[in-house]
Amino acid sequence: MDTRLSHQISLPLLPTRRDSKGFGVCALPSRRLRSAAVVATAGASRCDPGSSLNAPLEPRSAQGRFLSSVLQNKRQLFHFAAADELKQLADDRESAVSRKLLSSGSDEACLHRRIAQLKEHYSQIAVQDIMYMLIFYKFSEIRVPLVPKLSRCIYNGRLEIWPSKDWELESIHSIDALELIKEHVSAVIGLRVNSSVTDNWATTQIQKLHLGRVYTASILYGYFLKSATLRHQLECSLSDLQINQQRPIQFPKGPVFGCSFPTSTPQAFENRELKHLRHYISGFNPETLQRCAKPRSEEARNLIEKQSIALFGQEKGDEVVVTSFSSLKRLVLEAVAFGTFLWDTEEYVDGVYKLKENDNAEEEEESSSI
């Protein structure tokens, strides 16, 4: 499998709620609306998402169900509703922690400590639902429905996903990144990059368990591509600035966009080849590659796992399905896009609701090695 990683273009920032006078204030009384919201029902029992929110992962929290309803019934208010829900979660968690600290040493200390623990647990579920709905919204912007549970797409042992949506899923990436993504798709599904239409509709056999691992690895691939691209753009900008001003520039120390800088220097960018994403990434050492492919937060890591389980199920056996290369390509391209949108969503949410740092690298290492 091609282990090189690539990038995605930046997505517009979502609106944020700051204060009663600042820009981006959410005037939507989401808690009152939530109680009156009508949660949409699932689509038809087949592999056709239709117009409903037929995503494989169903929201478990009131916040997730509320945003699902807003997205269908009041789409223009979705970003404001999401910002308001995040702010409410952050405020509630902060209040619970404050009460726990204030009650320290009192008879109520044990009670408030337990309340804070329960609040943290509930907030984890709610914020993951919000992140998932934000990702779902990004897919809806490019008119790509998420593939529903694969059990709905398998008939007599054959898996078929339609429509393919290749163009839409590729349109979110830069030219440099798309070149690497096509190579990744070719490597993991065993089809050459410039395949014909006939080749795409040819059939192959694949273990469902292996397909799930490929999907997870492709999410991490897309996640890395976004991080690597932003770092590449930043280094190129700093290099161009130094050349224009003819004076040295100090590169930032420590993590930038979730990764520390590699050993490349501004002078290295005088070589035009290093201006290309492919050559830039080829200069990463193994440690940098691993660090950049690892989700920065526990919430993002959990969301990747939950999405994969919801899509493929919990089967541990060696079930084999017959499918077309077109369907395999659809799944891999969706996974790469999911990773791209996850990076953007994680960055936005962390600015409103502080996410937990991800200290568990074992799963990412295993997935990245597929």
Side-chain angles (χ1 to χ4, degrees):
M1 171 180 176
D2 192 349
T3 56
R4 287 169 296 187
L5 307 166
S6 77
H7 124 88
Q8 285 76 1
I9 47 181
S10 298
L11 301 173
L13 293 177
L14 303 178
T16 60
R17 170 177 175 168
R18 296 173 187 166
D19 53 45
S20 59
K21 296 181 180 179
F23 175 78
V25 170
C26 173
L28 179 66
S30 61
R31 292 195 170 185
R32 281 180 291 171
L33 283 179
R34 190 193 306 159
S35 62
V38 178
V39 179
T41 58
S45 181
R46 55 195 176 93
C47 192
D48 180 8
S51 59
S52 65
L53 299 186
N54 190 23
L57 187 58
E58 298 179 0
R60 297 183 296 162
S61 67
Q63 289 84 352
R65 291 188 290 271
F66 167 65
L67 291 179
S68 174
S69 176
V70 171
L71 184 54
Q72 292 181 88
N73 303 312
K74 296 289 183 180
R75 181 182 175 88
Q76 70 276 15
L77 299 177
F78 175 78
H79 280 158
F80 297 104
D84 193 59
E85 292 296 333
L86 285 172
K87 184 63 167 59
Q88 291 286 358
L89 279 179
D91 291 345
D92 290 348
R93 182 174 65 173
E94 184 179 352
S95 296
V97 172
S98 297
R99 286 193 297 269
K100 182 185 73 170
L101 295 176
L102 289 173
S103 66
S104 178
S106 70
D107 295 338
E108 298 179 345
C110 183
L111 173 62
H112 287 291
R113 183 169 60 252
R114 180 58 178 160
I115 291 175
Q117 290 173 349
L118 292 174
K119 177 61 67 175
E120 181 64 28
H121 175 71
Y122 178 80
S123 296
Q124 281 272 310
I125 297 174
V127 77
Q128 287 174 38
D129 279 352
I130 294 173
M131 291 173 68
Y132 193 74
M133 292 310 304
L134 288 167
I135 292 170
F136 190 98
Y137 180 88
K138 296 309 300 181
F139 273 101
S140 72
E141 281 192 317
I142 59 173
R143 300 182 182 279
V144 175
L146 284 171
V147 174
K149 296 178 184 293
L150 286 196
S151 59
R152 296 177 52 179
C153 304
I154 297 177
Y155 305 91
N156 296 323
R158 181 183 175 95
L159 169 67
E160 207 60 66
I161 301 170
W162 182 259
S164 61
K165 294 289 186 179
D166 289 358
W167 185 88
E168 291 86 348
L169 289 167
E170 292 175 350
S171 68
I172 66 172
H173 308 291
S174 70
I175 295 177
D176 282 351
L178 186 57
E179 180 183 339
L180 295 174
I181 290 168
K182 287 182 176 180
E183 292 178 3
H184 168 77
V185 172
S186 175
V188 298
I189 71 174
L191 189 66
R192 65 181 185 273
V193 175
N194 297 318
S195 58
S196 65
V197 174
T198 304
D199 292 332
N200 281 313
W201 287 104
T203 60
T204 185
Q205 292 185 338
I206 186 171
Q207 285 189 346
K208 192 176 177 183
L209 182 61
H210 178 69
L211 183 57
R213 291 174 177 172
V214 168
Y215 187 89
T216 300
S218 296
I219 292 178
L220 294 172
Y221 189 87
Y223 184 95
F224 176 88
L225 295 177
K226 183 57 183 284
S227 179
T229 297
L230 291 175
R231 296 173 68 246
H232 181 230
Q233 292 173 347
L234 178 59
E235 287 212 35
C236 286
S237 297
L238 292 174
S239 176
D240 291 341
L241 183 60
Q242 177 184 353
I243 293 173
N244 292 336
Q245 296 184 350
Q246 295 298 312
R247 60 185 178 84
I249 291 180
Q250 295 295 324
F251 275 74
K253 296 181 180 180
V256 176
F257 298 117
C259 304
S260 60
F261 272 78
T263 56
S264 57
T265 63
Q267 289 75 17
F269 281 90
E270 294 178 5
N271 182 344
R272 283 187 171 273
E273 286 190 346
L274 292 182
K275 288 277 190 178
H276 296 290
L277 183 63
R278 176 191 300 277
H279 297 285
Y280 174 75
I281 292 176
S282 67
F284 285 12
N285 57 43
E287 181 181 355
T288 302
L289 288 172
Q290 178 182 323
R291 185 184 303 116
C292 294
K294 172 187 173 182
R296 293 165 291 170
S297 69
E298 284 188 13
E299 291 83 357
R301 175 173 59 83
N302 291 337
L303 206 53
I304 293 173
E305 180 182 358
K306 292 180 185 301
Q307 166 68 3
S308 184
I309 291 176
L311 184 59
F312 294 92
Q314 292 276 14
E315 289 102 339
K316 300 294 183 181
D318 55 356
E319 178 186 355
V320 175
V321 295
V322 177
T323 187
S324 64
F325 286 105
S326 176
S327 293
L328 291 179
K329 184 178 180 181
R330 168 71 168 84
L331 278 171
V332 174
L333 285 176
E334 175 185 295
V336 174
F338 192 99
T340 302
F341 295 149
L342 177 61
W343 198 101
D344 287 301
T345 298
E346 183 184 46
E347 183 81 355
Y348 163 66
V349 170
D350 191 54
V352 182
Y353 176 98
K354 188 62 179 177
L355 300 174
K356 285 188 174 182
E357 184 177 351
N358 177 23
D359 295 324
N360 185 357
E362 294 181 0
E363 295 181 14
E364 288 80 8
E365 290 175 5
E366 180 181 351
S367 297
S368 298
S369 64
I370 295 178

